[in-house]
DNA sequence: CGGTAAGTGGAAGAAAACTTCAACTTGGAA
DNA sequence: TTCCAAGTTGAAGTTTTCTTCCACTTACCG
């Protein structure tokens, strides 16, 4: 697609890698909003270098997380091939949250699309139909109640993620309990009320502001 | 407890009320972090007046929300008197979230204690034993699985609240679906694993940062 | 009414983060 | 070895919000 217009000078490439590694570490523990200055200082470079290499935070996020996002897309694809649709859904949600548990930044990315723009947008566009297919199959198989929608699955994701966010620093496994609650809830709730609007699923992953 | 040391001058009292009303409105729609300047401007006063009346944001929050908090405590008390413990829990959680649905600020308050300090701390201290009692009763009655703890109820609260936060602007009723999922989840999940630490429930309501 | 303590307004200083830029350094081609 | 395009640095300007402060206004007591 986009070849390296001209390869970076060796020292520049070294700095770039150093900044990426450092940024990844900091964002894993502190989230996506780490100040550029903190990253630069931790990497031992000046801020100018940050800005030259990653003029928009977007550029940094893309470089940092695109492979991780691809991994998650891979999980969705694997899940969609499960014979047991419900098992596939549970497996996928658990994989996704394990990834988010390892990196706070990645969690913010996967659950609030606006921060990542195109990258995550595309991932969701890719995964949503797969999830929708699994849900339809699970409903048909009687594994999920009639009326269950992809938005409910997204809601479950957001729900467990919120517990993860709130507890990661003092109870790093608590989210698994929340996951058990969310999954048992999906299976057993009465979801026959009017289904959420189609567009809800998209907007649910966008933090507005 | 604390009588008005000396009553405010009439114009000052009028301004105070005006600021409170304005702050309540703004915080209901935008959350607790509305800049003081925005409140002052919307109320038509200067910032100096804000700071004279409410030197700490804490003071403003206390004045704004203490009666609402008392209402929620009242809900907990009412719920604890239900014969049907599970019905009491569901009723309480729904009341609490209805309150949060009406005011974004109140939701932030009820689900991240650190912003409100003593006020919310006391409310939680008061409500937690009531909820714990209900849960114990519900477990005994076979309405909740063995191993269910107050922390699980708190988690359910956080979970539904996160959906409320994410969707209030475009799907103001979606949280009810999340509530159905959370409640069905509590009843049906396997919660027999090692129970969360006693202190988890407190820290779950504190946003760390 | 007049004096004054109480109250008010908004400019100005401070803190945190973002962003730009001009002077300086360096890798590597010739 | 030389040279210069590429790269780096950190200080300085901006923005946003918080917070203080003092000159000005006003309620109300006597």
């Amino acid at each position: 697609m986009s070849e390296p217009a001209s390869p970076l000078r060796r020292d520049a490439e070294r700095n770039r890698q150093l900044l990426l590694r450092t940024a990844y570490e900091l964002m894993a523990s502190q989230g996506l909003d780490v100040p550029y200055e903190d990253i630069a200082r931790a990497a031992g470079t000046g801020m100018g270098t940050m800005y030259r290499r990653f003029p928009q935070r977007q550029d940094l996020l893309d470089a940092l997380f695109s492979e991780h996002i691809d991994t998650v897309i891979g999980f969705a694809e694997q899940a969609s091939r499960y014979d047991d649709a419900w098992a596939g859904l549970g497996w996928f949600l658990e994989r996704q949250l394990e990834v988010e548990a390892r990196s706070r930044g990645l969690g913010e990315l996967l659950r609030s699309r606006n921060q990542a723009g195109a990258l995550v947008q595309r991932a969701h566009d890719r995964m949503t139909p797969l999830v929708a297919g699994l849900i339809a199959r699970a409903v048909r198989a009687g594994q999920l109640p009639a009326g269950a929608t992809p938005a409910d699955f997204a809601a479950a994701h957001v729900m467990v993620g919120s517990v993860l966010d709130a507890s990661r620093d003092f109870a790093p496994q608590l989210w698994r309990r929340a996951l058990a609650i969310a999954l048992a809830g999906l299976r057993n709730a009465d979801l026959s009320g009017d289904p959420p609007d189609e567009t809800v699923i998209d907007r649910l992953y966008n933090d507005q502001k």
Side-chain angles (χ1 to χ4, degrees), chain A residues 49-80:
Chain A
T49 305
M50 267 315 277
Y51 276 95
R52 160 170 279 257
R53 223 40 80 198
F54 310 105
Q56 314 289 334
R57 190 169 281 256
Q58 204 50 235
D59 303 323
L60 177 60
L61 296 181
D62 286 358
L64 278 178
F65 294 116
S66 66
E67 68 184 295
H68 298 268
I69 301 268
D70 287 344
T71 303
V72 173
I73 295 177
F75 289 150
E77 286 163 347
Q78 243 179 296
S80 73

Side-chain angles (χ1 to χ4, degrees), chain A residues 77-127:
Chain A
E77 286 163 347
Q78 243 179 296
S80 73
R81 290 193 293 270
Y82 269 55
D83 283 332
D84 182 332
W86 172 248
L89 285 168
W91 180 85
F92 173 51
L93 192 52
E94 187 172 4
R95 289 294 82 66
Q96 198 161 355
L97 280 150
E98 276 172 355
V99 166
E100 296 175 24
R102 268 180 240 119
S103 166
R104 184 170 154 197
L106 210 29
E108 291 176 5
L109 216 53
L110 289 169
R111 270 178 290 116
S112 40
R113 180 179 311 175
N114 68 337
Q115 306 216 49
L119 180 69
V120 181
Q121 181 65 260
R122 249 181 289 117
H124 277 271
D125 291 350
R126 188 97 166 271
M127 295 189 294

